[in-house]
Amino acid sequence: MHTGTLIRDLRRARGWSQGRLADELAEHSGMSISREYISRRWESCRSVPSPFWMRHLAAVLDVPLAVMESDVNRRKFLSTLAATTVAPGVASDLLQEGFSARLKGAGPSVEAWADTLTTYGADYMTLGAAEIQKRLAVDLAVIQQQCDSPQMWAHVARLMTLYAKTFPGADGNRAVTWYRMAAESADRSRDIGTRVWVRGRAAIALGYEGAALPVAAMFADQALAIDDRPSLGRLNAIYGKAHAAAIVGDTDTARGLDTEGRRVFDRAGSGDDEASDYAVPYWRLGVFRSLLRARLGDESDAVEAQDEARRLLPPTLPRFATHLEMHRGLMLVRAGDRAGGVSYARTALDALPPEKHSLTLRMLMDEITGPISECLCR
């Protein structure tokens, strides 16, 4: 593939015009370049960019410099590009098609994928959704070719679950599609723990965010029916169902599930030193309960959960501290101090560096600032 063709494909993958690429290059390099030059010299394949422009092209198009400079297998690179630099919705469709096709191929070992999952579990707690989504898309594009054993399906299911979590509430249908695929993949693993965890994680993610509540309840019910033994998957499912119940006004069910969840935690909860998306230490249970009780209007229980969570929360996880502060803002709104609650929550969110913001925090802010009638019915 000629470099000019690669530049054109990379530009189009980002949805950029030649003029937009020229503007990005000029801003990054400090040198003027015209749309006509890009069109007539580079993308027409009449000439190859100089080393100077190669560096800036690699930077603005977000690709390794080696891809621009050498004749590597660019078509293979572009297959990965489809999962990383195009719009997330397009990447999702491409990956979904790839899993359906069940392509065969070589790749990392089962053990290597297990290590990758451990890394993602830790990184999820600190990194932004966009960065995680980009990396996951690449790994999903690779692992989809290796779904030839129950162990690989178990790894795929957990990767899919995290990938679903990176989609915003405005794109809830796409998140639900990936949660459904994750559940089906978990079933193919024939591992009960994976089947319960995937459904429970989907339930708590959707329930906590207040998104797709019937689906959250469905995943929770499925997880609870698969296995009645205490586990982190069951714990997640219980609190996912509790949040869904609280939001629709079924307060008795929500409070009963909270009681049941605390009993399950006593037998299956994680240690306080575990900071992973696959773990639920006591401080994370407190985050679940803090928002649940705030939604129910149980101020004293909410404050107790917040204080307990804050006491054990690692200082390296400021995003979760922001969750707890915003829960207090929601409590004020529920108590009738709408202006004060919104101000309190927004101050807490603004105090967190923008790169630490998450989709869930933005959805929580939307819930707090939503119409009064909507807040009260929740």
Side-chain angles (χ1 to χ4, degrees):
M1 179 185 292
H2 192 280
T3 301
T5 304
L6 178 64
I7 293 171
R8 182 200 63 201
D9 289 348
L10 291 169
R11 172 179 62 77
R12 288 178 176 174
R14 286 184 169 273
W16 289 0
S17 65
Q18 291 172 336
R20 170 69 183 278
L21 177 57
D23 291 342
E24 295 287 339
L25 286 170
E27 181 178 353
H28 193 272
S29 68
M31 299 289 289
S32 177
I33 187 170
S34 68
R35 180 196 68 78
E36 291 78 8
Y37 190 90
I38 292 173
S39 174
R40 295 177 182 176
R41 300 296 298 275
W42 293 349
E43 293 193 7
S44 68
C45 300
R46 291 181 181 177
S47 65
V48 174
S50 66
F52 173 84
W53 285 117
M54 284 288 198
R55 292 196 301 274
H56 294 293
L57 281 164
V60 301
L61 293 171
D62 193 22
V63 297
L65 180 59
V67 171
M68 302 300 302
E69 291 181 332
S70 63
D71 188 21
V72 297
N73 188 340
R74 287 173 172 169
R75 291 197 179 278
K76 182 177 180 180
F77 173 78
L78 287 174
S79 69
T80 300
L81 172 75
T84 57
T85 60
V86 299
V90 177
S92 173
D93 291 339
L94 292 172
L95 290 170
Q96 187 173 338
E97 181 179 348
F99 272 100
S100 300
R102 293 286 311 278
L103 300 175
K104 299 289 185 177
S109 66
V110 172
E111 293 75 17
W113 280 117
D115 291 341
T116 297
L117 283 168
T118 299
T119 300
Y120 273 123
D123 288 350
Y124 179 86
M125 309 299 285
T126 57
L127 299 182
E131 183 175 351
I132 288 287
Q133 185 182 75
K134 206 170 184 181
R135 287 169 49 193
L136 276 167
V138 174
D139 282 330
L140 283 168
V142 174
I143 200 173
Q144 68 179 352
Q145 303 177 49
Q146 298 181 257
C147 301
D148 53 5
S149 70
Q151 297 95 325
M152 291 304 297
W153 278 113
H155 293 337
V156 167
R158 289 179 181 265
L159 285 175
M160 284 180 168
T161 303
L162 290 181
Y163 189 64
K165 186 68 178 65
T166 65
F167 286 96
D171 201 3
N173 288 337
R174 198 168 300 280
V176 168
T177 294
W178 279 95
Y179 283 132
R180 291 182 187 276
M181 290 182 67
E184 182 179 348
S185 298
D187 291 342
R188 295 192 182 192
S189 78
R190 301 196 293 272
D191 180 73
I192 290 177
T194 299
R195 295 177 66 206
V196 174
W197 184 85
V198 165
R199 289 171 168 85
R201 186 66 183 88
I204 186 59
L206 294 171
Y208 189 99
E209 293 174 350
L213 297 181
V215 180
M218 177 199 71
F219 279 130
D221 288 339
Q222 289 179 357
L224 298 175
I226 289 171
D227 189 11
D228 60 3
R229 291 173 296 180
S231 67
L232 294 181
R234 186 174 181 84
L235 180 63
N236 282 330
I238 288 170
Y239 276 100
K241 187 171 183 177
H243 278 281
I247 290 172
V248 300
D250 188 355
T251 56
D252 290 342
T253 295
R255 292 188 179 110
L257 287 166
D258 184 24
T259 300
E260 181 183 355
R262 297 184 77 176
R263 287 197 296 264
V264 171
F265 178 84
D266 288 341
R267 298 184 62 186
S270 306
D272 292 338
D273 59 340
E274 295 186 56
S276 168
D277 189 56
Y278 307 127
V280 183
Y282 192 65
W283 67 261
R284 200 172 189 188
L285 176 71
V287 175
F288 292 169
R289 298 192 63 244
S290 167
L291 179 58
L292 177 65
R293 289 295 179 168
R295 282 171 164 163
L296 291 171
D298 299 337
E299 183 173 344
S300 61
D301 287 334
V303 170
E304 179 184 0
Q306 290 159 17
D307 290 342
E308 290 178 345
R310 191 176 288 104
R311 179 171 57 86
L312 296 172
L313 180 66
T316 54
L317 302 176
R319 190 170 72 215
F320 290 91
T322 302
H323 276 265
L324 296 172
E325 289 299 295
M326 293 180 71
H327 297 170
R328 296 206 174 198
L330 180 62
M331 286 165 47
L332 290 172
V333 172
R334 292 289 191 273
D337 184 3
R338 179 176 175 77
V342 170
S343 176
Y344 191 96
R346 193 172 297 283
T347 298
L349 184 59
D350 289 346
L352 185 70
E355 64 272 13
K356 297 289 185 182
H357 288 193
S358 68
L359 303 172
T360 303
L361 284 174
R362 290 195 287 271
M363 293 179 72
L364 181 57
M365 194 70 233
D366 289 342
E367 180 177 347
I368 294 168
T369 60
I372 294 178
S373 59
E374 178 182 342
C375 290
L376 293 178
C377 77
R378 287 184 173 183

